């Protein structure tokens, strides 16, 4: 099996940098909440921060995005020239995240993964696979950020399904023997983040061997009932799928300019990511809800009934919760009104989110002025639905056991199917890595 991980040199904020102001939540969060990002800007002020090195997606398609991207590129060079980033030896980072309101910490390992072993295209059989369909139209804007960047700061979370806890947990058990690289509270309810550096050597080799054992074809057959010829699967993207796709697209651009030998050594071939065990006690897999603004909710609900009828699926729109819950029951919220969309599966879709997303994808072009969004947290969704011309769909719970089995047997899940916890539980930027020689 191709080895698709390695220890790698990283860049960490230098001593004296205020780490609480340095570490900012993943750029793809709070996309409908500009007040959150205003709070971040107010808190950071003029201090060194990953806010200067990343582009929150709330501004990704704004008219001034090109100017923001150029400012990011300049800041990356300034931070390196001014000594605000210090290099480590090649290695991995053991990270512990204590989240507010969650009893158990989340453990992970930051390492480099080979972008040659990742393919986001539908039907992929690569060692690293997306859990959801990648939207090609979403890549260029993210690629533009990476094209101008000399550094990467990862918010990608790669999942492993390791119920016997053979990869991360043995290292976590001996963290006191490792060098503590950072320990800081995180801004705006993010909890606490601690990192221990693992130098490249016997420990990282043992980690890599344990990862490869998880991907063995015989294990996929045993755990998921995969066919004998099922391709090996080592990682499934949990968060940051489109960032990973942009990294792959950028590598494809660079690869064309290199000799075969240079392709083996170029730093852009690799991407930093945090590896997390799907079976981690703290890991909550939550559905990502749907929001549509700019359209009369009654129009959307009427179209929903017509769409599912045309697809041969029995669907009901109810004003009261059904006495006997249908197999797929999706609650909708519009201002002070709410109701239930009940769908009887007909074999066309494997999950309720797939049925709802198929409807939205089909009808969205017909709703003039419509803007879709994907919202983490039912409470946040209901708050955003308080005004006129908006409707939210509350999706039912998503089971952990459906995730890897779905990727192994059916390929990818519908985009934005699940979220690993709340928005404030997402990865915060800490480590960086140079991706240009």
């Amino acid at each position: 099996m191709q080895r698709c991980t390695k220890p790698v040199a990283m860049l960490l904020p230098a001593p004296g940098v205020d780490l609480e102001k340095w570490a900012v939540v993943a750029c793809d969060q709070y996309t409908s909440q500009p007040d959150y990002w205003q709070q971040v800007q107010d808190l950071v002020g003029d201090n060194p921060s990953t806010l200067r090195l990343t582009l929150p997606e709330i501004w990704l398609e704004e008219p001034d995005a090109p100017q923001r991207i150029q400012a990011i590129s300049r800041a990356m060079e300034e931070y390196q020239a001014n000594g605000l980033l210090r290099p480590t030896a090649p290695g991995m980072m053991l990270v512990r995240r204590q989240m507010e309101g969650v009893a158990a910490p989340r453990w992970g390992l930051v390492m480099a993964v080979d972008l040659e072993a990742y393919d986001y295209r539908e039907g992929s059989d690569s060692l690293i696979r997306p859990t959801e369909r990648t939207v090609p139209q979403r890549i260029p804007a993210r690629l533009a950020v990476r094209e101008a960047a000399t550094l990467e700061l990862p918010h990608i979370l790669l999942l492993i399904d390791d119920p016997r806890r053979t990869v991360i947990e043995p290292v976590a058990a001996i963290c006191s023997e490792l060098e503590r690289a950072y320990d800081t509270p995180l801004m705006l309810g993010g909890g606490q983040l601690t990192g221990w550096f693992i130098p490249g050597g016997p420990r990282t080799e043992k980690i890599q061997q344990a990862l490869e054992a998880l991907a063995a074809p015989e294990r996929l057959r045993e755990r998921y009932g995969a066919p004998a010829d099922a391709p090996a699967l080592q990682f499934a993207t949990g968060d940051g799928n489109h960032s990973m796709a942009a990294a792959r697209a950028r590598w494809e651009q660079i690869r064309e300019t290199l000799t075969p030998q240079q392709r083996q050594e170029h730093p852009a071939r690799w991407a930093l990511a945090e590896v997390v065990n799907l079976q981690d006690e703290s890991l909550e897999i939550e559905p990502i809800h749907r929001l549509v603004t700019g359209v009369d909710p009654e129009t959307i609900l009427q179209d929903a009934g017509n769409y599912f009828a045309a697809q041969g699926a029995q669907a009901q729109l109810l004003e009261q919760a059904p006495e006997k819950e249908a197999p797929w029951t999706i609650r909708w919220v519009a201002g002070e009104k709410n109701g239930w969309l009940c769908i009887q599966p007909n074999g066309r879709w494997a999950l309720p989110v797939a049925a709802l997303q198929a409807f939205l994808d089909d009808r969205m072009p017909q709703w003039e002025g419509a803007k879709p969004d994907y919202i983490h947290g039912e409470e946040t969704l209901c708050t955003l639905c308080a005004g006129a011309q908006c409707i939210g769909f509350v999706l039912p719970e998503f089971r952990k056991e459906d995730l890897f089995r779905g990727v192994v047997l059916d390929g990818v899940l519908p985009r934005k199917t699940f979220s690993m916890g709340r928005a404030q539980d997402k990865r915060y930027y800490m480590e960086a890595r140079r991706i240009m020689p």
Side-chain angles (χ1 to χ4, degrees):
M1 184 189 304
Q2 170 192 1
R3 175 161 282 190
C4 66
T5 62
K6 73 173 183 179
V8 70
M10 291 173 267
L11 295 166
L12 294 175
V17 172
D18 186 335
L19 296 183
E20 187 172 0
K21 294 176 180 177
W22 172 264
V24 173
V25 76
C27 66
D28 58 348
Q29 300 305 302
Y30 300 102
T31 53
S32 294
Q33 295 168 266
D35 57 322
Y36 175 87
W37 291 106
Q38 185 60 55
Q39 289 181 68
V40 173
Q41 292 185 88
D42 293 344
L43 191 154
V44 166
D46 295 328
N47 291 278
S49 175
T50 56
L51 182 64
R52 316 282 182 227
L53 306 178
T54 56
L55 180 57
E57 292 193 1
I58 194 170
W59 301 318
L60 187 61
E61 297 184 8
E62 292 296 312
D64 66 346
Q67 289 74 35
R68 290 180 183 270
I69 290 171
Q70 290 306 312
I72 289 168
S73 180
R74 290 193 298 271
M76 287 180 173
E77 294 305 301
E78 289 170 5
Y79 279 20
Q80 293 173 86
N82 296 342
L84 291 172
L85 290 165
R86 59 181 176 89
T88 71
M92 299 179 182
M93 193 73 71
L94 172 71
V95 295
R96 181 185 66 197
R97 176 75 178 281
Q98 187 64 62
M99 296 163 287
E100 292 188 359
V102 180
R106 185 181 75 206
W107 292 89
L109 286 167
V110 178
M111 63 185 71
V113 295
D114 189 355
L115 291 168
E116 288 286 346
Y118 167 74
D119 187 356
Y120 59 83
R121 297 168 182 86
E122 197 162 342
S124 165
D125 60 1
S126 54
L127 274 174
I128 308 170
R129 269 177 248 167
T131 50
E132 63 179 24
R133 285 184 175 85
T134 304
V135 184
Q137 294 85 349
R138 297 184 65 195
I139 295 176
R142 291 154 184 81
L143 177 59
V145 179
R146 200 167 179 97
E147 285 174 334
T150 56
L151 302 177
E152 67 168 358
L153 293 94
H155 70 259
I156 299 163
L157 292 175
L158 293 181
L159 295 173
I160 55 173
D161 184 18
D162 185 18
R164 295 179 182 175
R165 292 165 167 77
T166 62
V167 177
I168 300 171
E169 290 78 5
V171 192
I174 53 94
C175 65
S176 60
E177 301 174 20
L178 302 172
E179 173 196 350
R180 183 175 293 189
Y182 52 79
D183 188 14
T184 181
L186 296 171
M187 64 174 69
L188 301 176
Q192 187 83 13
L193 179 65
T194 310
W196 293 267
F197 182 68
I198 311 167
R203 281 184 174 137
T204 57
E205 175 64 26
K206 191 172 182 180
I207 289 167
Q208 290 172 280
Q209 290 175 356
L211 284 169
E212 288 155 13
L214 293 178
E218 57 270 21
R219 181 180 178 275
L220 301 184
R221 290 197 297 270
E222 176 188 342
R223 182 151 176 80
Y224 311 115
D229 60 350
L233 172 65
Q234 194 162 343
F235 300 110
T237 54
D239 273 334
N241 181 61
H242 284 86
S243 291
M244 189 91 165
R248 166 74 190 205
R250 177 59 176 150
W251 166 238
E252 289 173 351
Q253 289 178 338
I254 294 173
R255 184 177 60 188
E256 295 305 309
T257 69
L258 304 176
T259 66
Q261 180 60 36
Q262 289 171 330
R263 291 175 184 178
Q264 299 298 317
E265 301 169 353
H266 198 285
R269 173 172 172 163
W270 300 81
L272 271 186
E274 180 180 340
V275 176
V276 177
N277 186 1
L278 179 63
Q279 305 301 331
D280 189 290
E281 202 176 321
S282 73
L283 195 60
E284 299 176 358
I285 302 295
E286 298 182 350
I288 299 179
H289 309 297
R290 271 46 178 172
L291 173 68
V292 182
T293 59
V295 185
D296 181 2
E298 291 297 329
T299 297
I300 294 176
L301 293 173
Q302 183 177 351
D303 280 1
N306 294 336
Y307 173 82
F308 288 111
Q311 301 301 315
Q314 297 180 17
Q316 288 182 295
L317 287 166
L318 304 177
E319 294 183 1
Q320 302 292 330
E323 293 181 8
K324 184 178 180 181
E325 191 168 300
W328 291 351
T329 301
I330 300 171
R331 179 171 164 245
W332 60 265
V333 181
E336 296 182 357
K337 296 181 179 179
N338 68 90
W340 285 261
L341 171 63
C342 301
I343 306 168
Q344 187 72 33
N346 65 351
R348 179 162 187 168
W349 304 288
L351 297 168
V353 63
L356 179 64
Q357 192 61 53
F359 158 61
L360 294 175
D361 287 345
D362 181 80
R363 296 303 169 96
M364 194 71 64
Q366 303 173 30
W367 297 329
E368 186 176 352
K371 182 180 178 182
D373 205 349
Y374 304 90
I375 305 300
H376 301 267
E378 183 176 342
E379 183 177 346
T380 300
L381 178 73
C382 292
T383 299
L384 293 170
C385 292
Q389 296 287 93
C390 57
I391 185 170
F393 292 94
V394 181
L395 284 157
E397 291 184 4
F398 184 83
R399 301 180 304 170
K400 279 187 180 183
E401 54 266 32
D402 287 339
L403 199 155
F404 262 75
R405 182 173 289 108
V407 174
V408 170
L409 299 180
D410 298 330
V412 296
L413 304 170
R415 70 179 183 275
K416 298 290 186 181
T417 293
F418 69 93
S419 168
M420 291 165 50
R422 305 161 298 179
Q424 64 266 37
D425 300 337
K426 301 301 178 178
R427 192 163 206 282
Y428 279 61
Y429 299 111
M430 178 61 72
E431 303 85 358
R433 186 178 73 92
R434 191 163 179 93
I435 56 174
M436 296 302 292

